[in-house]
């Protein structure tokens, strides 16, 4: 009778189970009975974005919330090293965990650490060697540490032992996971680039706890679990590759992909999966997607990570993909990809590198975020990184030079605004705000000018030449909170008409003008410092529709006539041109010299551009000025602080709704029982 009851219980459990270990060495997948990923619509989900710069303060705040109602703490780590000299950050975290156990003896704490990676490394700095030291520290203080690892060596193609590569801290229903190891290098502000998410969700937490329990019970096999709660999904172990390649396949014309990776291990055809990722990126670029890739660069050029990343960078760059490397003094350990399409936005944040071991043999925790404001924040953070820390691959290997970016603004006032009121408003608000937002962040020159009050119909009221160190700094500026607020300033009440005013991106003139459309060009030395020399603004009639002849003459004769650089907008009816010379005499002689070689277009006005500091500035009709300001880029950490403050502000607003204790929002307060997948194991 007893055996019959046991058999019935097993049958019932199998029928109700949504996730069962298979008897083969293949990974198991946790899904709902319908075969779709489990999804929660009712329970509130809370997600915070935690880059490396905010990781240490975040984990301490998380631990500070622990109280007598907290039930569990789990730490699943690839590398947790507490034996650095002095009171290292990881040791402070460990000491805090130990003190919580002493304060709350019933608190269920367990640490799971990788135990086989580089176990015999000569310098003693292998992950398993470091973890063994941390294990002794915890054990001495009464906290259990479990040794874990990855797929058994007998099951891997290379017969190399897999590892547990996930980096997770869980406190009841709150999970902090991503790329950050608990080492001094990873947690020290500014030392690494890392990306993590802080998530509060009972469904997500239950799945993470289930994953941890499965690793604890059987480290030597893969455990593929997946669950979705609203905008957030979590998936583990070998599920990344299909998710990643499927996401890249979505990208087409007008879409963007931003990718940050520590190691992209595509050496040759033996790296099958990494090769597929590479090929899919190239295919997405061919379809018209804009792709930016940020890779780790080590101090040692012979390092395997840098060598393989360099190979991938060369291949991607040859196919028109923008590739950047981090500075050698920083480790870019973040692992994520962001897709922005026409109707959806998706980010995958991972602990996995792009190579066979991390795709197939090593335990991983991966996040997928869909159509959530966090994605825009992640894009902004990425833009700051490549603009202020990154170096383009072509420039790094000496095959390219930095390219400045020039924009030409043409502003037409709103119909009910007088010219006088417009001039007053632009002087008081827009001009100083341009310097405040862009100064020391990539803005290198700003030359606003008001055209004369008496001028032919159809010409703008105000124009401006705006120069940046490159496109990356421009994108970084515009992506921040202050940058996003800057654009609408142009169209406030009493300023410019949104229907007719616009900015034109200037490109190098190559002898072709579009028909019946305004276009912008740069001539001469792109690296000309527009804050120096003598600049004039000319308004030239294009009534004869001979703009091409005019441009060709400028291109052919400009340098010999003393022209350093020209920034020009050619409209079907007029031409606006900023011309920069070394001195005033060259500028005054230029018009006659150009006429002498065949230029027949009428110069309607010529405005000498003054030179003024921003604090002593007021320009009127028929006047322009080259504003003098410090165009030197601020240190990277100062520019990054702008977006970090924004992230912190958003996170604080999010965590205000977090409960006092991480467990109190759970519908089932016993997190150990609230599992997405029953713990059913077969040998």
């Amino acid at each position: 009778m007893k055996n019959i009851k046991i058999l019935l219980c097993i049958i019932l459990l199998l029928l109700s189970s949504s996730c069962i270990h298979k008897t083969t060495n293949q990974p198991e997948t946790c899904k709902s009975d319908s075969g779709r990923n489990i999804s929660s619509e009712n329970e509130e989900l809370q997600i915070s974005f935690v880059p490396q710069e905010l990781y240490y303060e975040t984990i301490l705040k998380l631990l500070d919330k622990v109280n007598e109602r907290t039930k569990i703490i789990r730490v699943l780590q690839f590398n947790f090293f507490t034996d650095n000299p002095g009171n290292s950050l990881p040791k402070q975290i460990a000491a805090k965990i130990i003190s919580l156990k002493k304060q709350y003896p019933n608190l269920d704490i367990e640490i799971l650490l990788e135990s086989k990676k580089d176990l015999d490394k000569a310098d003693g700095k292998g992950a398993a060697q470091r973890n063994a030291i941390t294990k002794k520290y915890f054990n001495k203080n009464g906290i259990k540490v479990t040794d874990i690892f990855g797929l058994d060596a007998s099951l891997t193609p290379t017969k190399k032992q897999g590892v547990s590569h996930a980096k997770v801290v869980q406190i009841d229903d709150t999970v902090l996971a991503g790329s950050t190891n608990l080492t001094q290098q990873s947690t020290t502000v500014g030392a690494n680039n890392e990306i993590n998410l802080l998530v509060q969700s009972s469904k997500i937490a239950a799945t993470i706890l289930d994953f941890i329990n499965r690793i604890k019970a059987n480290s030597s096999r893969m455990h593929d679990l997946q669950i979705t709660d609203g905008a957030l999904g979590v998936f583990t172990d070998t599920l990344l590759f299909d998710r990643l390649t499927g996401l890249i396949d979505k990208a087409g014309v007008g879409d963007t992909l931003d990718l940050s990776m520590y190691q992209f291990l595509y050496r040759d055809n033996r790296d099958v999966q990494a090769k597929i990722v590479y090929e899919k990126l190239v295919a997405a670029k061919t379809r018209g997607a804009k792709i930016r890739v940020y890779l780790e660069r080590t101090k040692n050029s012979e390092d395997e990570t840098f060598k393989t990343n360099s190979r991938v960078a060369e291949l991607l760059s040859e196919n028109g993909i923008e590739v950047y490397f981090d500075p050698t003094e920083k480790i870019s350990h973040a692992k994520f990809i962001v897709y922005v399409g026409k109707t959806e936005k998706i980010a995958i944040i991972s602990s996995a590198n792009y190579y066979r071991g991390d795709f197939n043999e090593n335990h991983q925790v991966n996040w997928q975020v869909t159509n959530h404001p966090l994605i825009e924040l992640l894009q902004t953070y990425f833009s700051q990184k490549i603009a202020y820390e990154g170096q383009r691959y072509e420039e790094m290997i000496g095959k390219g030079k930095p390219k400045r970016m020039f924009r030409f603004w043409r502003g037409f006032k709103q119909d009910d605004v007088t010219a006088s009121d417009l001039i007053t408003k632009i002087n008081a608000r827009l001009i100083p705000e341009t310097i405040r937002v862009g100064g020391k962040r990539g803005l290198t020159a700003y030359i606003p000018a008001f055209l004369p009050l008496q001028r032919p119909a159809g010409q703008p009221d105000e124009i401006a030449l705006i120069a940046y160190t490159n496109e990356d700094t421009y994108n970084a500026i515009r992506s921040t909170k202050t940058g996003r607020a800057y654009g609408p300033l142009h169209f406030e009440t009493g300023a410019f008409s949104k229907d007719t005013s616009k900015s034109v991106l200037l490109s190098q003139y190559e002898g072709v003008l579009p028909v019946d459309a305004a276009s912008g060009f740069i001539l001469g030395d792109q690296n000309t410092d527009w804050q120096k020399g003598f600049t004039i603004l000319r308004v030239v009639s294009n009534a004869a529709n001979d703009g091409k002849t005019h441009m060709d003459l400028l291109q052919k004769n400009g340098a010999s006539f003393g022209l350093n650089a020209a920034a020009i907008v050619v409209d079907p009816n007029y031409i606006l041109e900023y011309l920069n010379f070394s001195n005033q005499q060259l500028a005054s002689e230029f018009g006659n010299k150009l006429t002498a070689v065949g230029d027949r277009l009428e110069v309607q006005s010529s405005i000498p551009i003054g030179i003024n500091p921003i604090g002593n500035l007021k320009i009127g009709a028929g006047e322009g000025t080259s504003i003098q300001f410090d165009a030197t880029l601020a240190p990277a950490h100062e520019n990054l602080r702008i977006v970090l403050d924004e992230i912190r502000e958003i996170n604080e607003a999010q965590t205000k709704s977090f409960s006092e204790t991480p467990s109190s929002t759970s519908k089932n307060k016993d997190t150990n029982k609230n599992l997405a997948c029953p713990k059913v194991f077969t040998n």
Side-chain angles (χ1 to χ4, degrees):
M1 179 63 70
K2 182 176 180 181
N3 290 337
I4 293 174
K5 286 183 178 180
I6 292 173
L7 180 61
L8 286 172
C9 287
I10 291 173
I11 292 171
L12 288 171
L13 184 57
L14 289 172
L15 289 172
S16 63
S17 173
S18 63
C19 178
I20 302 176
H21 274 279
K22 299 178 182 178
T23 57
T24 68
N25 289 321
Q26 297 298 314
E28 84 285 2
T29 301
C30 170
K31 294 184 178 179
S32 66
D33 293 336
S34 65
R36 297 178 180 178
N37 294 342
I38 302 167
S39 178
S40 166
E41 295 181 357
N42 298 320
E43 187 171 359
E44 186 178 4
L45 170 72
Q46 292 159 337
I47 314 171
S48 294
F49 171 38
V50 185
Q52 191 270 352
E53 294 84 358
L54 304 182
Y55 185 87
Y56 179 64
E57 65 181 69
T58 299
I59 195 171
L60 286 188
K61 288 179 181 178
L62 191 59
L63 292 170
D64 284 341
K65 287 186 176 183
V66 172
N67 58 36
E68 66 279 358
R69 294 190 297 276
T70 307
K71 291 181 172 56
I72 69 159
I73 295 178
R74 292 291 183 270
V75 177
L76 173 67
Q77 273 291 326
F78 172 69
N79 197 338
F80 192 165
F81 187 51
T82 57
D83 202 37
N84 289 101
N87 192 23
S88 69
L89 302 183
K91 191 161 189 175
Q92 291 178 43
I93 294 168
K96 179 67 175 178
I97 293 171
I98 291 167
S99 71
L100 288 172
K101 181 63 176 177
K102 292 178 180 178
Q103 187 176 0
Y104 306 111
N106 293 327
L107 181 59
D108 180 8
I109 301 178
E110 188 164 355
I111 316 294
L112 296 90
L113 302 178
E114 163 59 33
S115 62
K116 293 190 177 183
K117 176 65 174 176
D118 295 329
L119 190 57
D120 300 319
K121 197 171 182 181
D123 62 5
K125 295 181 179 180
Q129 295 168 317
R130 290 179 159 195
N131 289 341
I133 295 171
T134 300
K135 177 180 179 179
K136 290 180 181 178
Y137 179 60
F138 275 116
N139 286 344
K140 184 176 67 175
N141 287 278
I143 292 180
K144 183 180 179 181
V145 176
T146 300
D147 292 337
I148 56 174
F149 38 87
L151 190 65
D152 190 81
S154 64
L155 303 176
T156 68
T158 60
K159 303 305 177 185
K160 290 184 178 180
Q161 175 64 46
V163 302
S164 182
H165 197 244
K167 306 101 167 46
V168 180
V169 176
Q170 178 174 3
I171 302 179
D172 287 351
D173 286 351
T174 302
V175 178
L176 176 63
S179 66
T180 302
N181 292 299
L182 292 179
T183 64
Q184 186 72 3
Q185 175 72 34
S186 288
T187 55
T188 300
V189 173
N192 275 21
N193 286 325
E194 309 275 5
I195 295 293
N196 306 269
L197 292 187
L198 175 66
V199 175
Q200 185 161 314
S201 159
S202 61
K203 279 186 173 290
I204 296 292
T207 301
I208 292 294
L209 184 59
D210 187 16
F211 177 62
I212 292 172
N213 287 337
R214 290 171 187 266
I215 291 176
K216 178 182 174 184
N218 189 351
S219 286
S220 62
R221 63 175 299 164
M222 295 290 97
H223 305 282
D224 287 354
L225 308 183
Q226 56 185 328
I227 192 169
T228 300
D229 188 358
L232 182 69
V234 65
F235 54 99
T236 63
D237 284 1
T238 73
L239 296 177
L240 173 63
F241 179 73
D242 287 344
R243 294 280 188 108
L244 170 65
T245 52
L247 183 63
I248 298 172
D249 284 342
K250 287 176 174 286
V253 61
D255 300 336
T256 64
L257 286 170
D258 289 335
L259 187 157
S260 180
M261 184 49 51
Y262 174 70
Q263 186 173 34
F264 197 146
L265 189 60
Y266 171 33
R267 296 162 295 189
D268 47 47
N269 289 337
R270 63 184 153 158
D271 299 314
V272 177
Q273 288 168 297
K275 180 184 179 184
I276 291 172
V277 174
Y278 155 73
E279 290 173 342
K280 286 186 175 291
L281 288 170
V282 172
K285 175 64 178 177
T286 302
R287 292 192 298 269
K290 179 178 174 58
I291 304 175
R292 301 184 295 177
V293 176
Y294 192 58
L295 298 172
E296 159 66 9
R297 170 172 46 173
T298 59
K299 293 179 180 178
N300 179 7
S301 61
E302 294 302 310
D303 179 87
E304 181 69 12
T305 297
F306 181 49
K307 287 171 69 175
T308 56
N309 285 350
S310 295
R311 168 180 159 76
V312 170
E314 181 179 9
L315 294 172
L316 292 173
S317 181
E318 287 174 353
N319 286 277
I321 292 174
E322 299 171 21
V323 183
Y324 305 80
F325 277 87
D326 70 341
T328 56
E329 66 271 13
K330 176 164 285 193
I331 296 177
S332 287
H333 195 243
K335 306 162 178 70
F336 65 86
I337 185 170
V338 180
Y339 160 76
V340 176
K342 298 170 187 63
T343 59
E344 79 180 329
K345 300 178 181 180
I346 299 173
I348 293 176
I349 298 168
S350 180
S351 59
N353 296 288
Y354 292 172
Y355 83 104
R356 186 208 68 257
D358 272 6
F359 282 136
N360 304 311
E361 301 158 11
N362 302 333
H363 295 306
Q364 312 285 356
V365 169
N366 313 285
W367 302 110
Q368 179 167 313
V369 188
T370 304
N371 294 335
H372 190 279
L374 181 146
I375 295 173
E376 184 176 336
L377 202 58
L378 182 55
Q379 267 197 309
T380 299
Y381 180 82
F382 181 80
S383 292
Q384 311 307 303
K385 286 291 180 179
I386 64 171
Y388 303 118
E389 290 184 354
Q391 183 180 19
R392 285 180 180 260
Y393 172 70
E394 294 91 341
E395 296 170 19
M396 186 184 83
I397 63 174
K399 286 188 177 180
K401 294 181 179 180
K403 293 182 180 179
R404 291 200 176 183
M405 180 185 186
F406 298 88
R407 301 190 73 87
F408 200 121
W409 163 257
R410 292 177 297 156
F412 296 83
K413 68 181 181 63
Q414 296 162 10
D415 291 340
D416 57 350
V417 176
T418 67
S420 176
D421 287 344
L422 177 71
I423 290 171
T424 299
K425 187 175 185 68
I426 300 309
N427 273 297
R429 184 139 167 81
L430 187 59
I431 290 176
E433 192 67 8
T434 301
I435 303 299
R436 188 187 76 83
V437 172
K440 299 188 78 65
R441 304 207 69 230
L443 183 69
T444 60
Y446 178 43
I447 310 177
F450 291 101
L451 297 194
L453 296 178
Q454 301 300 318
R455 63 184 185 276
Q459 293 182 4
D461 296 279
E462 189 249 8
I463 65 172
L465 174 64
I466 312 103
Y468 299 87
T469 52
N470 52 43
E471 182 184 1
D472 300 322
T473 55
Y474 170 77
N475 289 332
I477 293 168
R478 294 304 299 270
S479 68
T480 62
K481 184 178 180 180
T482 54
R484 295 192 301 272
Y486 171 75
L489 289 180
H490 295 72
F491 310 112
E492 288 181 333
T493 301
F496 298 109
S497 166
K498 195 168 187 177
D499 294 332
T500 54
S501 303
K502 61 188 64 178
S503 176
V504 177
L505 177 64
L506 305 188
S507 60
Q508 196 76 35
Y509 179 65
E510 296 180 349
V512 178
L513 285 181
V515 178
D516 298 328
S519 51
F521 302 99
I522 192 80
L523 292 175
D525 184 3
Q526 284 209 9
N527 291 316
T528 294
D529 186 348
W530 284 83
Q531 290 196 46
K532 295 180 180 178
F534 189 85
T535 299
I536 59 173
L537 167 64
R538 301 202 319 169
V539 183
V540 180
S541 171
N542 195 23
N545 197 23
D546 201 17
K548 185 180 185 309
T549 299
H550 179 73
M551 291 293 294
D552 290 342
L553 289 171
L554 280 174
Q555 186 177 51
K556 181 179 179 180
N557 301 286
S560 62
F561 293 167
L563 181 67
N564 294 327
I568 304 170
V569 165
V570 180
D571 183 271
N573 298 308
Y574 59 83
I575 298 173
L576 303 171
E577 51 190 29
Y578 285 97
L579 308 174
N580 180 269
F581 303 88
S582 299
N583 56 62
Q584 186 174 356
Q585 182 177 346
L586 290 172
S588 64
E589 297 171 350
F590 181 78
N592 291 333
K593 289 181 178 180
L594 200 63
T595 300
V597 294
D599 188 38
R600 297 292 179 262
L601 296 186
E602 175 193 357
V603 178
Q604 296 175 330
S605 59
S606 181
I607 302 171
I609 299 298
I611 295 178
N612 292 287
I614 187 64
N616 183 28
L617 174 65
K618 186 176 181 182
I619 56 176
E623 296 178 347
T625 187
S626 177
I627 298 174
Q628 303 297 289
F629 62 94
D630 185 0
T632 306
L633 280 176
H637 69 273
E638 291 185 15
N639 279 318
L640 190 61
R641 186 181 301 133
I642 295 172
V643 70
L644 290 176
D645 288 343
E646 183 179 352
I647 294 170
R648 190 178 280 111
E649 178 184 342
I650 292 172
N651 285 353
E652 287 176 355
Q654 176 85 287
T655 54
K656 280 181 181 177
S657 59
F658 275 30
S659 55
E660 182 181 354
T661 172
S663 64
S664 64
T665 61
S666 174
K667 293 178 181 178
N668 183 342
K669 298 297 178 64
D670 190 346
T671 311
N672 284 288
K673 295 179 181 178
N674 187 19
L675 296 178
C677 304
K679 294 186 291 183
V680 181
F681 301 94
T682 56
N683 296 322

